[in-house]
Amino acid sequence: MTLRLVVVDDHPVVRDGLRGMLGTQPDFEVAGEAATGLEALTVVEAVRPDVVLTDLRLPEPSGGTLIRLLLERLPGVRVLVLTTHDTDSDVLPAVEAGAIGYLLKDAPREELFRAVRAAARGETVLSPTVATLLLSRVRPARPLTEAQLSSREREVLALVAQGRTNRETAAALFISEATVKTHLLHIYAKLEVPDRAAAVSAAHRRGLL
């Protein structure tokens, strides 16, 4: 079955790139495109696609407003957000408005292809950073005290906060880089974050640094 798609982005180069990329898949047909929210509403009503891939920040209407209007006019369409923005003010209104998926534009092409197919099936697709943000909103953060990090984990975290690389951290603590990576994975799990930058930010918020 061929999936009919509409691409919505106010940058012509981005639309061209997406059209070319999606066109490599035999089960995709880019049936229309739009540069503004108003144009998107017109194109979607005319084309009646299976999936709309849309940026959030467009000439009006945009964001959650555009998503709501798209779903009001064509309830069966799936709206997959594809954007560079992953802040609360972007993600939450889009999800609340009914977007079935939320990906960032730096996603690998194969991930994008899978997301389009999953969205067409009615499955929710979220980038890791967006999933983490939403989880933090629907469940309270577990209280975490300094005592819940081991002394070595605290030492590693402090050096990471100073901008040290894994190699530099290993040298400073006289341990291997592999051990540093293991400590970082434990820190990420305890702080419920995806990477070192988020770990440092979370540690500062919780008074661990």
Side-chain angles (χ1 to χ4, degrees), residues 176-191:
S176 70
E177 284 188 62
T179 300
V180 170
K181 291 178 182 178
T182 298
H183 285 311
L184 284 172
L185 289 175
H186 292 163
I187 291 168
Y188 298 163
K190 290 181 178 181
L191 295 178

Side-chain angles (χ1 to χ4, degrees), residues 36-54:
T36 69
L38 186 60
E39 187 179 358
L41 293 171
T42 300
V43 171
V44 166
E45 280 194 304
V47 171
R48 308 185 75 79
D50 299 295
V51 180
V52 176
L53 291 87
T54 183

Side-chain angles (χ1 to χ4, degrees), residues 129-146:
T129 55
V130 170
T132 299
L133 186 152
L134 291 175
L135 282 175
S136 72
R137 289 293 175 178
V138 300
R139 73 181 180 199
R142 292 183 301 182
L144 182 65
T145 64
E146 186 176 355

